[in-house]
Amino acid sequence: MSAALEQNLKLLADSGQANALKGILHGIEKEGLRVDPNGAISQTGHPQPLGSALSHSHITTDYSEALLEFITPVFKESGDALNFLRQLHNFTYQKLGQEELWNASMPCSIASEDAIQIARYGSSNVGQLKYIYRVGLEHRYGKMMQAIAGIHYNFSLPEGLWPVLQQLQNNDDSQQQFRSDGYFGLIRNFRRYSWLLLYLFGASPALSNSFLCGREHDLEQWDENTLYRPYATSLRMSDLGYSNKAQAELNICFNHLDTYIKTLTQAINTPYPAYEALGVKTEQGYRQLNSNVLQIENEYYSDIRPKRVALSGEKPVHALLERGVEYIEVRNTDINPLLPLGIDQQQADFLDAFLVTCLLSDPSEVSTEECDLINQNNDLVVNRGREPGLTLTRQDKQISVKAWGNLILDDVIKTATLMDQLDSSDRYSSAVQAQRTKLADPSLTPSAQILALMKQQNLSYEAFILQQSRQHRDTISKTALPQEQQTYLEQLSISSMEDQAQIELADHQDFDSYLQDYLAQ
């Protein structure tokens, strides 16, 4: 990492153009299950006072009716995104009645998959597309996996940074090409070093035994209702959370935008025998959008994604192809049940410094062998990350988690120092130093703290998370929502219902034809 990073930081500083790093754009998406007062998954539909899940810009659903998703606008300050997220929680708590918002990544107790109701989005073609896609996920992976929740951290570098970097690096590609290549370099380095994020911020070391009911596993029993791994950091990111033979063969390691698009497009257009056997449309209706390896791009699960805002009706992969990468979506962030929002300012500051470091470091391509090593290292950290003496593989040599973690932080602190100078603060450096303490003492990691509190209070996973969720609701609800924001969100709920009605009225094409046109893009 170091040589290229130091050179790029020096070029920015010596040219007097380091200011181009100011104005990073942030957005946060956070999922959360609605649960009843006893902590069981809600059996009610999406609350009407929250508006339309199809057309509301900030409050929607993910896989199921019970899985809420909050989406902030884009802000220059991560703190503003966090504040908006807090306001969305506050507004939602007002509308939930006796229900709670489950503030953890691994789900509450779910008696059976029948208790998970697939999200519905109305009768419009786009609403049916969203619903049938989720029906396809049920048939392909089962519903239980779709009850997992996470936080997506959306990160976009200032537009003014790209021409500066391009000039400093004497690059003569088109700006769109340079920007997309830059983001892909960032993504490759993220994948190399993101095991550290799983160690530092992983917050799912335990889960309800109902999640694995009927499945073979080698987890240990905490109590009659809870399973765990003693040194796990993020079971959400392990193969318990997600495993799929069809996708395992895709082997996407993000070397180039064109190969990324080509691989995804190929997967969307390649029939998969097991899915062909399911059938696409039966007398009872659609079972999936198609019988290919992927129904649509979103089905490809990865810990980070290149993104571009798509136009209405446009496929994401087409938007990337036409206009290049616009931002990246970090997807390996657990909801931390110790924090009211599941994420805080210090974590956001660290992520910013970490991601800029990934951008400015050596963007060398990832070989198939390195890709396998990345997956092995991640697997070790999610399952055994805090285990004394655990080693990972770095450049074909074994190295301890602590030693390699500190080497990465040695680089991140260089970026943080420059970002602090631009910000006239020490917030980024402080965020990095706070992570060093977790490498020195694994008991300070969220995953260790969660297990320690469960033990100290003699609580099952479910009882602990329900307790935390109630406390966080009380904390957030104590601060009244500003009247202007209250009015805005009330009006948005009403107008989103009107928007959905308009979308449904405007449809003049039958769904079969609509789907055919959509998939043909």
Side-chain angles (χ1 to χ4, degrees):
M1 253 173 137
S2 295
L5 174 70
E6 286 177 8
Q7 183 183 4
N8 282 317
L9 289 172
K10 189 172 187 306
L11 282 171
L12 283 168
D14 291 354
S15 65
Q17 304 211 63
N19 265 338
L21 268 174
K22 289 183 80 169
I24 290 167
L25 298 179
H26 311 82
I28 299 172
E29 302 166 38
K30 183 197 173 191
E31 300 151 348
L33 280 170
R34 286 184 295 112
V35 299
D36 70 17
N38 299 314
I41 189 169
S42 172
Q43 297 301 296
T44 64
H46 184 63
Q48 196 167 6
L50 295 179
S52 162
L54 177 72
S55 45
H56 198 297
S57 48
H58 303 308
I59 302 172
T60 181
T61 52
D62 197 330
Y63 174 77
S64 76
E65 278 289 281
L67 188 57
L68 286 174
E69 182 172 10
F70 298 136
I71 304 166
T72 75
V74 175
F75 292 100
K76 284 189 176 175
E77 280 294 331
S78 57
D80 291 335
L82 288 165
N83 188 48
F84 196 98
L85 183 64
R86 178 180 286 270
Q87 292 174 345
L88 291 176
H89 279 74
N90 192 318
F91 180 77
T92 300
Y93 287 139
Q94 297 171 28
K95 313 297 181 185
L96 282 186
Q98 295 300 303
E99 291 185 339
E100 299 291 346
L101 198 56
W102 191 253
N103 202 39
S105 280
M106 297 310 286
C108 58
S109 176
I110 299 175
S112 76
E113 290 201 343
D114 294 341
I116 303 171
Q117 299 175 29
I118 296 175
R120 291 187 174 273
Y121 300 93
S123 61
S124 66
N125 284 330
V126 67
Q128 288 186 72
L129 182 88
K130 288 168 77 77
Y131 172 72
I132 293 164
Y133 166 61
R134 285 157 175 76
V135 172
L137 295 178
E138 174 197 356
H139 288 303
R140 292 169 176 224
Y141 315 109
K143 285 181 173 179
M144 205 62 88
M145 192 190 91
Q146 318 298 333
I148 298 172
I151 292 174
H152 298 165
Y153 192 78
N154 297 323
F155 174 93
S156 176
L157 290 148
E159 274 305 299
L161 177 65
W162 298 110
V164 168
L165 282 178
Q166 194 167 4
Q167 186 182 7
L168 292 175
Q169 293 173 11
N170 297 313
N171 180 287
D172 56 6
D173 291 334
S174 71
Q175 196 175 321
Q176 180 174 312
Q177 179 74 44
F178 181 77
R179 185 183 61 217
S180 290
D181 287 348
Y183 274 121
F184 267 78
L186 184 162
I187 288 169
R188 290 193 294 278
N189 282 327
F190 175 91
R191 296 213 67 239
R192 286 180 169 112
Y193 309 117
S194 62
W195 66 264
L196 180 60
L197 299 179
L198 298 169
Y199 173 88
L200 296 172
F201 302 111
S204 52
L207 46 82
S208 165
N209 62 2
S210 68
F211 183 78
L212 291 173
C213 189
R215 282 170 62 185
E216 282 188 26
H217 64 82
D218 59 356
L219 268 63
E220 295 183 31
Q221 201 83 32
W222 177 275
D223 59 24
E224 60 179 349
N225 298 313
T226 305
L227 299 168
Y228 81 117
R229 282 205 172 103
Y231 299 110
T233 60
S234 177
L235 293 177
R236 163 180 167 261
M237 293 301 294
S238 74
D239 59 5
L240 292 175
Y242 181 74
S243 60
N244 174 252
K245 222 181 280 183
Q247 289 202 27
E249 293 163 11
L250 289 178
N251 198 24
I252 295 175
C253 265
F254 305 98
N255 281 327
H256 303 283
L257 176 60
D258 55 354
T259 53
Y260 173 79
I261 290 172
K262 185 181 173 186
T263 313
L264 275 185
T265 306
Q266 199 172 347
I268 295 163
N269 293 300
T270 302
Y272 190 68
Y275 302 157
E276 286 183 310
L278 277 173
V280 174
K281 191 180 181 185
T282 67
E283 288 177 8
Q284 285 74 44
Y286 278 91
R287 306 194 78 190
Q288 50 189 341
L289 295 174
N290 56 48
S291 57
N292 300 332
V293 176
L294 301 176
Q295 299 174 89
I296 55 176
E297 303 93 309
N298 287 355
E299 191 174 337
Y300 175 62
Y301 289 86
S302 69
D303 53 4
I304 186 168
R305 276 183 188 161
K307 301 277 280 192
R308 156 71 58 180
V309 175
L311 306 174
S312 178
E314 184 183 34
K315 289 173 79 173
V317 76
H318 186 264
L320 279 173
L321 183 65
E322 289 292 309
R323 300 184 297 285
V325 185
E326 183 178 15
Y327 66 100
I328 53 115
E329 178 185 60
V330 173
R331 299 164 52 82
N332 69 348
T333 308
D334 280 353
I335 296 167
N336 184 345
L338 308 176
L339 301 172
L341 298 176
I343 183 173
D344 64 7
Q345 186 64 58
Q346 186 184 78
Q347 185 172 348
D349 289 343
F350 180 79
L351 282 171
D352 284 355
F354 180 84
L355 291 167
V356 173
T357 303
C358 288
L359 170 80
L360 298 178
S361 297
D362 174 16
S364 57
E365 294 187 7
V366 177
S367 66
T368 306
E369 294 73 26
E370 189 184 7
C371 196
D372 290 339
L373 278 180
I374 286 168
N375 293 334
Q376 285 171 30
N377 286 335
N378 283 348
D379 191 54
L380 283 168
V381 172
V382 296
N383 289 300
R384 298 165 48 200
R386 290 177 287 105
E387 185 179 295
L390 180 70
T391 61
L392 306 177
T393 307
R394 174 179 179 257
Q395 295 168 355
D396 297 327
K397 294 194 177 91
Q398 293 300 295
I399 183 170
S400 72
V401 164
K402 180 179 177 181
W404 193 4
N406 275 310
L407 285 175
I408 296 170
L409 293 186
D410 287 345
D411 279 338
V412 181
I413 196 72
K414 294 167 190 167
T415 306
T417 302
L418 179 62
M419 291 171 74
D420 279 340
Q421 288 168 9
L422 301 175
D423 194 60
S424 302
S425 74
D426 65 352
R427 58 190 267 205
Y428 297 103
S429 302
S430 296
V432 177
Q433 297 300 355
Q435 307 320 312
R436 285 209 196 269
T437 64
K438 296 181 195 170
L439 284 169
D441 182 358
S443 72
L444 298 175
T445 59
S447 54
Q449 290 185 318
I450 288 163
L451 293 180
L453 286 166
M454 284 167 57
K455 186 174 184 180
Q456 186 184 318
Q457 298 169 23
N458 194 26
L459 292 174
S460 68
Y461 168 75
E462 293 159 42
F464 176 71
I465 300 300
L466 186 59
Q467 170 189 284
Q468 293 297 112
S469 302
R470 286 172 176 156
Q471 283 176 9
H472 295 326
R473 178 180 187 155
D474 290 345
T475 300
I476 290 173
S477 299
K478 273 177 189 157
T479 306
L481 198 56
Q483 188 54 53
E484 184 184 0
Q485 189 70 343
Q486 181 79 32
T487 304
Y488 168 69
L489 291 172
E490 295 281 8
Q491 289 176 345
L492 199 54
S493 295
I494 295 165
S495 63
S496 69
M497 299 295 277
E498 293 167 352
D499 290 344
Q500 179 177 328
Q502 287 300 316
I503 291 166
E504 290 170 354
L505 280 172
D507 273 348
H508 298 299
Q509 189 180 23
D510 66 273
F511 181 73
D512 291 352
S513 306
Y514 172 84
L515 178 59
Q516 195 175 350
D517 290 349
Y518 181 84
L519 295 176
Q521 282 183 63

